Amino acid sequence: MSEKIGVYICHCGLNIAKTVDCKALAEYASHLPNVTVARDYQFMCSNPGQEMIQNDIREMGLTRVVVASCSPLMHEPTFRRAVAKAGLNPYLFQMANIREQCSWITQNRVLATERAKDIVRAAVMRVNFNEPLEVQKVEVNSNVLIVGGGITGIEAALQIADSGKKVYLVEKEPTIGGYMTRFDKTFPTLDCAACILTPKMVSVEQHENIELLTYSDVTDFSGYVGKFTAKIRKRPRYVDEDKCTGCGQCEEKCPLSVPSEFDCKLGKRKAIYRPFPQAVPNVPVIDREHCLYFTKGVCRVCEKFCAHHAIDFEQKEEYVEVPVGSAILATGFDLFDATRIKEYGYGRLPNVITSIEFERLTHASGPTTGKIQLKNGKPPESVAIIHCVGSRDKNYNEH
Ligand SMILES: Cc1cc2nc3c(=O)[nH]c(=O)nc-3n(C[C@H](O)[C@H](O)[C@H](O)COP(=O)(O)OP(=O)(O)OC[C@H]3O[C@@H](n4cnc5c(N)ncnc54)[C@H](O)[C@@H]3O)c2cc1C
Ligand code: SF4
Ligand code: SF4
């Protein structure tokens, strides 16, 4: 059965009519497929405007309605109620915004009218596919999933948990904290970054409403508004979190050192390591790619020296499913790869460094204990700083 669509063009006083030729628009709409009637009127949201639509629904048997006027935020509920009163399912109504997205953004009447035609045509095409819906009340799960345990995820988790809701905080690295863990002092107050961040990290770990899943990522997210299931993969640390006391013996005795990612490879870490001493949770992880046991089948020194029998080379990947009603993505940022801009020599010249590497050099517990030095250990005689590398540069970062 073909639809019978009514299209109603609102002048919104002169808000729309000043720049859009509403009569021409209604005439145009009247020839669109399945359109039975198209009218224009000064204030479609007024009583006479709504009655006009309701009468047409009753008298002409309209099966769908399009109103081209202001933003749906403003009057979509008004028109849905109006069509429902005339017996039409309110979801068979479609709104087209020819005010905020058309008449208000240009003074060119010809262009505005053409654009309004496009918007109305799109709405008419779309309304054919609208389906009648029934409003239902469903229970909303109040649990919240937060992906990313940087300062954003941490702050969100604490505030939500303090309001009494259960939070699942998922962090892909072995510790929470994100980039802020690497800074010495932070703008604008020049407070010690760790003094602000680490107490919050500890609060996250201790909060009764927060379940912290580090070294984990979300592999599936299914369900519907207010009722989702998140599937989370926990990667093996090869250290039992329940038994480990964070004593650090294993790290001390591990014979293998490799460049530390946390220190931007300016310092070293062991094959079993915590990214930094204040990590949360304060439990090391074995780096399978380098560990002598996983690569050569020898060693197990960490196991021998762990008095708490926490090392578990048999640990496997685990999956858990958690019910949540909403999710916050707080996955932060990645640094721009400065090697892409060849003329700056990053990656080629030894003493060209990024801002984050500079942060590690200035950090009291960084690889140089806060001394700014060249790769040969000497202090620099002069320094040049290039701001915003890669940002605002359409050659490398168009989007
Ligand atoms: C050199 C430098 C200096 C700065 N100095 C200052 C300053 O002085 N003052 C200031 O206010 N700001 C400063 N900033 C900005 C500040 O670092 C950021 O605004 C802040 O760290 C953003 O925090 P975040 O939690 O949003 O992101 P991030 O710190 O990037 O944290 C995101 C977290 O999400 C995790 N993650 C990412 N993807 C996933 C995934 N798929 N699953 C699970 N976890 C995931 C990451 O591992 C990380 O832990 C500086 C930035 C830089 C680079
Ligand atoms: S794994 Fe064992 S040795 Fe290593 S920090 Fe934990 S308790 Fe200490
Ligand atoms: S088994 Fe691996 S992690 Fe453990 S001490 Fe040896 S190299 Fe280090």
Side-chain angles (χ1 to χ4, degrees):
M1 181 195 89
S2 79
E3 302 297 343
K4 290 172 121 184
I5 303 172
V7 180
Y8 299 88
I9 314 291
C10 181
H11 294 210
C12 195
L14 284 179
N15 273 302
I16 293 171
K18 193 171 168 214
T19 37
V20 172
D21 183 340
C22 293
K23 293 238 171 296
L25 186 57
E27 166 63 18
Y28 170 79
S30 69
H31 299 292
L32 291 171
N34 293 344
V35 171
T36 303
V37 60
R39 304 184 197 275
D40 62 295
Y41 186 67
Q42 253 198 326
F43 292 104
M44 210 47 97
C45 57
S46 65
N47 259 349
Q50 293 188 40
E51 278 168 12
M52 179 192 291
I53 299 170
Q54 289 164 339
N55 288 340
D56 284 352
I57 292 172
R58 290 190 192 105
E59 287 163 19
M60 298 182 178
L62 298 182
T63 59
R64 321 243 146 178
V65 168
V66 170
V67 173
S69 58
C70 50
S71 87
L73 195 65
M74 182 94 181
H75 274 314
E76 191 175 61
T78 312
F79 292 118
R80 277 192 177 155
R81 272 195 304 272
V83 301
K85 273 191 193 155
L88 198 64
N89 183 290
Y91 297 92
L92 298 177
F93 159 77
Q94 182 66 44
M95 196 146 178
N97 183 348
I98 57 166
R99 195 179 73 173
E100 286 85 341
Q101 292 174 0
C102 184
S103 69
W104 277 0
I105 56 168
T106 179
Q107 294 185 345
N108 184 322
R109 200 169 159 82
V110 175
L111 285 182
T113 305
E114 286 310 303
R115 182 175 161 85
K117 285 180 186 172
D118 287 345
I119 293 171
V120 167
R121 191 176 67 252
V124 168
M125 295 303 157
R126 179 180 165 155
V127 81
N128 280 288
F129 295 98
N130 283 16
E131 288 184 11
L133 302 173
E134 297 302 325
V135 175
Q136 286 181 0
K137 286 206 171 170
V138 288
E139 265 188 37
V140 169
N141 189 315
S142 66
N143 300 346
V144 180
L145 172 75
I146 300 181
V147 186
I151 184 64
T152 309
I154 288 173
E155 194 60 48
L158 288 174
Q159 291 200 16
I160 293 167
D162 281 346
S163 75
K165 296 186 170 67
K166 168 99 186 169
V167 173
Y168 296 95
L169 178 57
V170 179
E171 166 58 53
K172 71 177 165 63
E173 297 296 332
T175 175
I176 53 171
Y179 272 100
M180 196 172 167
T181 53
R182 291 156 160 191
F183 305 154
D184 186 44
K185 297 188 177 57
T186 43
F187 178 85
T189 52
L190 294 189
D191 271 320
C192 144
C195 308
I196 305 169
L197 181 63
T198 50
K200 287 183 191 283
M201 290 165 63
V202 174
S203 302
V204 163
E205 192 177 36
Q206 293 175 347
H207 206 297
E208 57 179 7
N209 290 337
I210 300 179
E211 189 167 330
L212 181 57
L213 298 119
T214 48
Y215 217 40
S216 304
D217 47 14
V218 177
T219 55
D220 193 37
F221 193 72
S222 56
Y224 192 67
V225 178
K227 206 175 178 192
F228 297 102
T229 301
K231 191 172 178 187
I232 299 162
R233 178 179 58 156
K234 290 175 78 178
R235 288 152 64 203
R237 279 178 181 265
Y238 305 109
V239 175
D240 187 329
E241 287 189 44
D242 295 330
K243 291 184 184 163
C244 174
T245 60
C247 68
Q249 271 296 303
C250 51
E251 290 179 66
E252 206 181 307
K253 301 291 182 192
C254 173
L256 191 77
S257 292
V258 294
S260 152
E261 297 81 1
F262 183 77
D263 275 335
C264 307
K265 307 207 169 160
L266 299 170
K268 299 259 182 181
R269 62 156 169 87
K270 295 294 182 65
I272 182 163
Y273 70 103
R274 286 161 300 170
F276 58 103
Q278 297 77 30
V280 168
N282 189 21
V283 175
V285 56
I286 294 182
D287 163 12
R288 229 191 124 104
E289 251 186 73
H290 293 100
C291 164
L292 294 172
Y293 174 68
F294 282 112
T295 55
K296 299 197 165 75
V298 292
C299 192
R300 295 182 88 130
V301 166
C302 49
E303 188 181 43
K304 196 164 118 202
F305 282 92
C306 176
H308 304 277
H309 308 289
I311 305 292
D312 177 4
F313 290 108
E314 300 307 317
Q315 222 176 49
K316 299 270 176 301
E317 191 169 88
E318 269 179 51
Y319 284 87
V320 286
E321 287 193 347
V322 295
V324 294
S326 52
I328 295 177
L329 296 184
T331 51
F333 63 95
D334 266 335
L335 284 187
F336 175 78
D337 174 10
T339 57
R340 290 173 58 204
I341 308 188
K342 302 265 181 275
E343 57 268 36
Y344 294 146
Y346 180 72
R348 181 165 50 87
L349 303 174
N351 292 306
V352 177
I353 60 173
T354 62
S355 52
I356 199 83
E357 288 165 341
F358 181 75
E359 286 288 337
R360 292 313 295 149
L361 290 185
T362 60
H363 203 290
S365 56
T368 59
T369 58
K371 286 193 213 79
I372 296 169
Q373 60 184 42
L374 302 175
K375 289 275 157 70
N376 63 11
K378 293 188 178 158
E381 286 175 16
S382 60
V383 171
I385 295 177
I386 308 172
H387 285 295
C388 306
V389 171
S391 153
R392 303 180 183 84
D393 183 342
K394 69 174 182 181
N395 295 311
Y396 300 98
N397 234 351
E398 180 102 40
H399 307 293

